Amino acid sequence: MSLLNKLRCAFTLGQGLLIENKTLATTDDPISFFESWLSTAKKSGIILPESMSVSTVDHQGKPSSRMVLLKEVNQQGFVFFTNYGSRKSKELEQNPFVALLFHWNMLQRQVRIEGRIERISHEESEAYFHSRSRGSQIGAWASKQSQVLDERQTLVDSVKYYEEKFTNQTIPLPEFWGGYRVIPEKIEFWQGKADRLHDRFVYTKQDNNWEINRLNP
C-alpha cells in the first residue's frame, strides 16, 4: 500500500458514511449500497477489499469459516469460485445456507450477508476459469482441495503432470471446479462511530421486497 493510500485510510478512520433516517427511506437497494461501499474500500487502498469470510455448517451443526474472494456481485447475488470437492463445498451441498462477512477495518465498516447457495451455470464457470492465469488453471487441476497431502512434492509433481498434459492446448474447465452464487436473504451494514454508538442497518428480504430497519449498536 502506498504512503498516500495509508494516509487516506488513516484520515477516513472513524468517519465513514453518515446515514440519516431521511436517507434510509430512499436507500431501498442493498446491492447497490454494497457496491458503493466496496467501491469506496477499493479506492481507499485496502489490500484485497473483495476478501470475505464464508461460513458454512456441517451435518452435525458445527460451523467453519474461511476467506475467499468475491468475484462478482449483481442483483442475483454474490459469486465466488472453488473446488466442488472442498470441505466448504461438501458442507454447502448438505446445508445450502451460508453467511458472508466483509470487514474493512480502516473504514470501520463491515457487511454481513446471510442467504442460500446455488451453483452458477457451467458456461459462467467456464468463462471465469479461462480468464484466470494459466498457472491458476493448472493449480485447479493439480490440487485435491481439502484432502490430506502427504508431502508438498506430491503437489509439485501433480502440477508438473498437468503442465505436460495440457502443453500447447487450452486447459479445460475441471468438472469438479466452479462457482457458487449466494442469494441474499439478509444484509446488514455496520459503520463504526465514536463511543461505540455505531450505525447498523439491516435489510431483510420479504417476498420480492427489502424491509429496512435500524438496529441498536
Side-chain angles (χ1 to χ4, degrees):
M1 186 187 301
S2 68
L3 176 60
L4 178 60
N5 283 333
K6 288 180 180 179
L7 291 173
R8 185 183 295 123
C9 283
F11 179 75
T12 57
L13 183 61
Q15 302 303 312
L17 178 65
L18 294 172
I19 309 173
E20 305 297 343
N21 286 327
K22 62 180 180 181
T23 306
L24 180 62
T26 59
T27 310
D28 57 0
D29 182 1
I31 301 299
S32 295
F33 196 22
F34 173 84
E35 289 176 325
S36 71
W37 273 31
L38 179 59
S39 176
T40 298
K42 289 178 178 179
K43 292 175 182 177
S44 73
I46 294 173
I47 298 174
L48 294 178
E50 67 273 26
S51 298
M52 61 183 183
S53 170
V54 176
S55 297
T56 56
V57 177
D58 68 12
H59 67 285
Q60 294 180 314
K62 296 180 179 179
S64 61
S65 300
R66 73 287 292 163
M67 301 300 294
V68 304
L69 297 179
L70 174 71
K71 289 301 181 180
E72 181 182 358
V73 57
N74 53 39
Q75 291 298 324
Q76 284 68 54
F78 301 77
V79 175
F80 65 91
F81 292 84
T82 189
N83 185 309
Y84 288 141
S86 65
R87 175 181 174 180
K88 61 179 169 295
S89 293
K90 291 178 180 179
E91 293 181 353
L92 287 170
E93 296 299 332
Q94 296 170 352
N95 184 339
F97 295 98
V98 64
L100 308 179
L101 173 63
F102 293 85
H103 181 219
W104 301 307
N105 183 54
M106 293 303 293
L107 297 176
Q108 288 204 61
R109 288 180 175 177
Q110 72 173 18
V111 182
R112 299 169 60 194
I113 300 162
E114 299 174 19
R116 57 185 176 83
I117 209 87
E118 68 175 13
R119 289 194 185 191
I120 66 174
S121 69
H122 177 86
E123 291 74 20
E124 290 174 293
S125 291
E126 189 170 47
Y128 172 70
F129 182 77
H130 288 131
S131 74
R132 307 175 88 207
S133 68
R134 189 172 181 85
S136 293
Q137 293 178 42
I138 291 291
W141 276 95
S143 174
K144 296 179 174 61
Q145 194 174 105
S146 298
Q147 295 186 29
V148 174
L149 182 64
D150 56 353
E151 60 178 359
R152 185 167 181 81
Q153 188 59 44
T154 300
L155 179 60
V156 173
D157 291 342
S158 182
V159 169
K160 183 178 181 180
Y161 168 80
Y162 285 106
E163 286 176 338
E164 294 175 351
K165 179 177 181 178
F166 297 128
T167 299
N168 299 323
Q169 62 177 289
T170 299
I171 301 173
L173 171 70
E175 62 180 15
F176 53 80
W177 195 96
Y180 282 112
R181 176 178 290 106
V182 178
I183 303 170
E185 298 175 352
K186 182 178 292 186
I187 304 177
E188 180 188 319
F189 295 87
W190 180 96
Q191 175 67 66
K193 296 294 181 183
D195 300 321
R196 305 194 65 80
L197 298 178
H198 313 307
D199 277 334
R200 293 177 64 190
F201 293 88
V202 61
Y203 292 71
T204 305
K205 199 67 175 286
Q206 301 289 351
D207 297 322
N208 292 320
N209 299 310
W210 288 100
E211 178 183 290
I212 313 169
N213 288 289
R214 181 190 284 269
L215 302 180
N216 273 281

